[in-house]
Amino acid sequence: MTETQIDSPIKVGLFVTCLADLMRPQVAFAAVALLERAGCRVRVPRAQSCCGQPALNSGDRASTMNIAKGVIRAFSNDDYVVVPSGSCADTLINKYPDLFRHDVKWAGRAQDLADKTFELTTFLVERLGVELEQVSYPGVCAYHDSCSGLRELAIHQQPRALLQQVQGLSLREVDDGSACCGFGGLFSVKYPDLSGRIVGDKCAQIAQTEADTVLGGDLGCLLNIAGRLRREGSDLKVFHVAEVLAGMTDGPAIGEAESEDKA
Amino acid sequence: MNRAREQILGTIRKSLADGEPRTARRLEELRSRIENSRPQVQPAFDDDLLNRFCQKHVAVHGTYDRISVDHIESAVVKHLASMGLDAQWHLGSGPLLDATQWTDKVFVYRKGADRDTKVALSEAVAAVAETGTLVMCSGPTVPPSQNYLPDDHLIVVDRRRIVRHMEDAWAILRESGATKRRAINLITGPSKTGDIEQTIQYGAHGPRRLHLLIVEDA
Amino acid sequence: MSVSTTSHRVEFQDRAKKALQDASLQRALAKARGGFVDHRQDAIDALPEFDAIRDAARDIKNHVLANLDGYLELYEQQVIENGGQVHWARDAEEACQIIAGICKDAEAKTVTKGKSMVSEEMHLNPVLEEAGITVVETDLGEYIVQLAGETPSHIIAPAVHKTREQITDLFHEHHSPLGYTDRVTQREALVNEARSVLRERFVSADVGITGANFLVAETGANVIVTNEGNGDLTSCLPRVHIVTAGIEKIVPSLDDLSVLLRVLARSATGQEFSAYTSLYSGPRRPGDMEGPEAYHVVLLDNGRSRLLGGQYQPMLRCIRCGACLNHCPVYGSIGGHAYGWVYSGPMGSVLTPLLNGFDQSLDLPNACTLNGRCKEVCPVRIPLSDLLLKHRVEQHERRLSPGFGRFLLGAWAWLACRPRLYQGVMALPLRVMHMLGRRRGSLTWLPGASGWTGSRDFPAPARRSFMRQWRSRKVRS
């Protein structure tokens, strides 16, 4: 880790994301660890729940704006806001300013938030230029690029650059890797047959890489992929990239049972 | 019918917010944009035009011979013989073809192709190195059916008429007034289809084979 | 307007489910998938200027749309100058009447057609057939689909949903009476048989109807792009040539046309250039030895003019390349027919509600993961996924979305705005789900989301949320 920022710690607010909060707290702990090791002072405002995507993607702008105002307020004093999800970061960075485009009072504040918000791996690579040390993960990993992160925030090289520093880890690219995994938030519940079919295809392509682990930067996709792999009886492990980077892979992977000896 | 016209144009004007009929001056502006039209972004390449053209033509399953202007007939006869075909064909028109004295060893039909036409011999108005495309124009002695009905289509190309980009071909057509012809046909390789299992098959409805005779010394 | 199938929520879901279970459809889709994507990528990798050309293509289309009335007038003048006629149709029915009228005046018995999505949009074939006219689709894919009594399932590959076995059966059934009694199964033989059957149709047709990829205001030409040459035989051989086109198809000049042609084939099939790109203007000229005696253009509005100036105007830039279909995971799973109308995939999901009525196609904008790949590949940079989201907003604001879903969403959003309460309320279900899934690490059944667990597990959540754990950690330290 770089030590240069110790003198004047960067104040970072962590936007946990609702999925990390409820489904996989370890992702948020990993994000905190990574940021703290990089010399940041991490704050987790209590006044946060979700970025509002379920409402936004259902066409409910009014509800989304209400949620967004809470997020904007909660992080108004942080230098940076870091999000361990490309899709939620995209909401804060691109969707909030668009929502408040015509709102004199909030447009500026939404833009301020957008300007200081970063997806986790992007922040680590592009803002902090971190160098990991003494992290290892003995595995062959397939990286799944999530759609919002990839297309709206150009997240592609950042996680790979970090993973290259992990000892024992080798990366495999998935064929047609930029294809969606079929999650799509509420889509996966409203159109489960379609969603299930698409994630089936994705898992087949992941299996072709002969990797033993699937990594990604968005829990939505990872829950979807892990759920499908579990159903198929596959023993592929699924982790959020932050967990691997922070060395927090001793416990069960996403969707995996706690092993008896550890429990 | 006129009511439909007025209504559609009216809705367009209303939707575009000004609601006003276009004044003569506005139409003049659009017309002038057309008249002063210039090439925009074009793919850059430095290759020699002839080489590039041939390479692109081969890439779309075409074949060619580079020949001298005195050997048009013999080149055609030789190519047809190699395919086991007789020395007869439907003949188009163009400066090189018109200047060729056909011997009595061959038989040419100066008419449109029909359902059973085996071979047609045409001349390209221009050829585009960018994509390996041949530019054909219809006219009193150039029936476009010759481009589409024969099994084998042979096209004579004057090397000097190979241009870099598509827009250069438009310039040639504009200059000669050929943009006013009924048909301008751009041909890039033989006919093909991918409609059965997305696998390419040649000779869907048009020519199964496309062979060029590139005249180097006209 | 007449619509072949209305699309209610249930109908789309049913069709999608059927499509997912249709083994031969799935075989055909699996065969097609990847090919289009890889070919396009190769073509684009070979053209460093692709993005700049896309920008230019978008700008040309925007310029035309902003001046559409003027360009339509200029185009019309050129067509008339060339000796052709322009007809204006406000809707599908009017267009069909105009075309049927032209065919009747020409005493047409047989009509050949080049592939025209606009004529599918008009539902033209049944109208002509009712008038006693034999209509023959000549694009091989459209021909296959016509023999099957179906509609195209893809705008550039109409028979993409058909396997070779199905095509073999269709040809055997329909060509046997014409003397082709051998059952052919190989691709080459199938193509040759169709070539031979359709050749007779081409030379005997009275009227040829084609679509138009573009209409060039500079020369009054309609442009058709094909690989087979069927559009050209349809344009050149019959006595009468009718062109059908949406009013948005105009490009100002030949130079503008070049820009659009450079993105069209690459986006559609990954070709640099299609085999045949033809510009036809007016009837045969004096002295020409062949060509149609009459040339008609039928310009179809059908709701397009209303879209100008509004939030959906970018959709009118569409050049119907099919790239968004080829890159859409939903299209790739169910094919085109499930969408219920002529246009499918992302462009169809945006366009169908606009042209056909919002309440007729509520599912389409929602049956999308918003992955944005369609927007990424669009050659004229239509923000397709953003437009789908605009549809959702409109559905929500017009209260067209299902009431129970709206209630749940509203309740959740209310809670999400009150983080402390939210954190408290979420604790119990979290704990229950954690308990249920602990042993396996995931749940195989989830109340309220049994759809999800129909095809995959639901990974078990943590026992306590991050926010709770974080707080106790802070308290401890």
Side-chain angles (χ1 to χ4, degrees), chain A residues 21 23 25 46 48-49 57 151-152 176 178 180 191-193 195 197 224 227-228 230-231 255 257, chain C residues 17 26 33 363 369 371 373 376 392 416 420 423 439-440 451 453 455-457 459 465-467 471:
Chain A
D21 178 36
M23 300 296 300
R46 197 179 168 192
Q48 57 173 310
S49 56
N57 291 344
R151 303 211 167 80
E152 304 297 331
D176 200 20
S178 65
C180 176
Y191 301 92
D193 296 333
S195 176
R197 165 54 195 278
N224 187 35
R228 176 67 186 197
R230 290 294 291 145
R231 180 63 55 90
Chain C
K17 192 168 253 178
Q26 290 300 328
R33 202 179 308 134
D363 254 310
T369 64
N371 64 80
R373 212 178 183 191
E376 181 181 64
R392 297 186 190 182
R420 278 162 198 265
Q423 286 153 22
R439 185 169 294 273
R440 184 180 162 89
T453 46
S455 51
R456 74 216 113 164
D457 282 14
S465 72
F466 172 80
M467 295 306 280
R471 264 177 62 222

Side-chain angles (χ1 to χ4, degrees), chain B residues 1-9 11-18 20-22 26-31 33-45 52 56 60 91 110-117 130-133 138-151 165-168 170-171 173-174 179-208, chain C residues 31-32 36 47 49 52-53 56 60 63 65-74 76-78 81-82 87-90 94 98 138-141 144 156-160 164 167 187-188 190-192 194-195 198-200 202-203 217-219 227-230 232-233 235-237 241 247 252-259 261-262 271-285 287-290 292 295 299 301 305-306 308-309 313:
Chain B
M1 227 98 88
N2 269 340
R3 255 197 73 199
R5 180 185 189 275
E6 293 322 310
Q7 205 171 317
I8 291 169
L9 289 174
T11 313
I12 294 172
R13 284 170 194 142
K14 206 169 131 207
S15 300
L16 290 173
D18 56 8
E20 299 285 317
R22 297 291 175 187
R26 188 83 187 89
L27 277 185
E28 270 322 303
E29 281 170 26
L30 297 181
R31 193 173 281 131
R33 186 192 180 279
I34 291 173
E35 279 162 8
N36 297 309
S37 163
R38 293 274 176 280
Q40 302 177 43
V41 209
Q42 295 173 314
F45 59 91
R52 161 91 176 199
K56 289 290 175 187
V60 290
L91 181 65
R110 296 174 195 273
K111 59 176 186 178
D114 56 47
R115 90 178 77 180
D116 301 315
T117 298
E130 176 188 354
T131 47
T133 298
S138 70
T141 51
V142 192
S145 60
Q146 292 183 351
N147 295 333
Y148 302 103
L149 284 168
D151 284 340
H165 292 111
M166 212 186 314
E167 289 88 338
D168 302 323
W170 303 140
L173 297 184
R174 284 188 188 114
T179 52
K180 287 276 139 199
R181 307 279 183 87
R182 144 86 177 150
I184 298 167
N185 304 118
L186 310 186
I187 300 176
T188 315
S191 163
K192 58 188 170 183
T193 182
D195 275 341
I196 301 179
E197 295 180 322
Q198 277 55 64
T199 306
I200 295 295
Q201 289 292 321
Y202 289 91
H205 291 299
R208 300 169 189 279
Chain C
K31 240 183 184 138
F36 281 121
L47 181 68
E49 297 88 352
I53 297 174
I60 290 166
H63 168 74
L65 294 173
N67 297 282
L68 188 57
D69 54 336
Y71 276 122
L72 281 167
E73 287 187 63
L74 292 180
E76 182 187 39
Q77 284 172 15
Q78 285 300 320
E81 210 168 279
N82 295 333
H87 310 261
W88 302 71
R90 281 165 289 198
E94 193 164 39
I98 292 167
T138 63
D139 171 88
L140 182 57
I144 291 165
I156 66 151
V160 69
R164 180 150 51 104
I167 296 167
R187 271 190 294 269
E188 190 180 351
L190 289 165
V191 170
N192 274 329
R195 174 188 174 102
L198 287 168
R199 180 63 61 106
E200 292 305 315
F202 280 124
V203 297
E218 176 181 349
T219 65
N227 278 313
E228 298 179 1
N230 65 306
D232 296 288
L233 290 167
S235 302
C236 292
L237 301 182
H241 180 195
I247 52 171
S253 72
L254 293 169
D255 298 312
D256 297 314
L257 173 66
S258 296
V259 173
L261 288 174
R262 283 191 182 105
Q271 292 171 273
E272 256 183 7
F273 216 62
S274 298
Y276 300 116
T277 298
S278 293
L279 292 76
Y280 293 104
S281 56
R284 71 162 77 175
R285 301 295 192 267
D288 281 359
M289 63 174 92
E290 61 175 33
Y295 177 84
L299 294 174
D301 183 346
S305 57
R306 275 188 287 111
L308 288 166
Q313 176 175 314

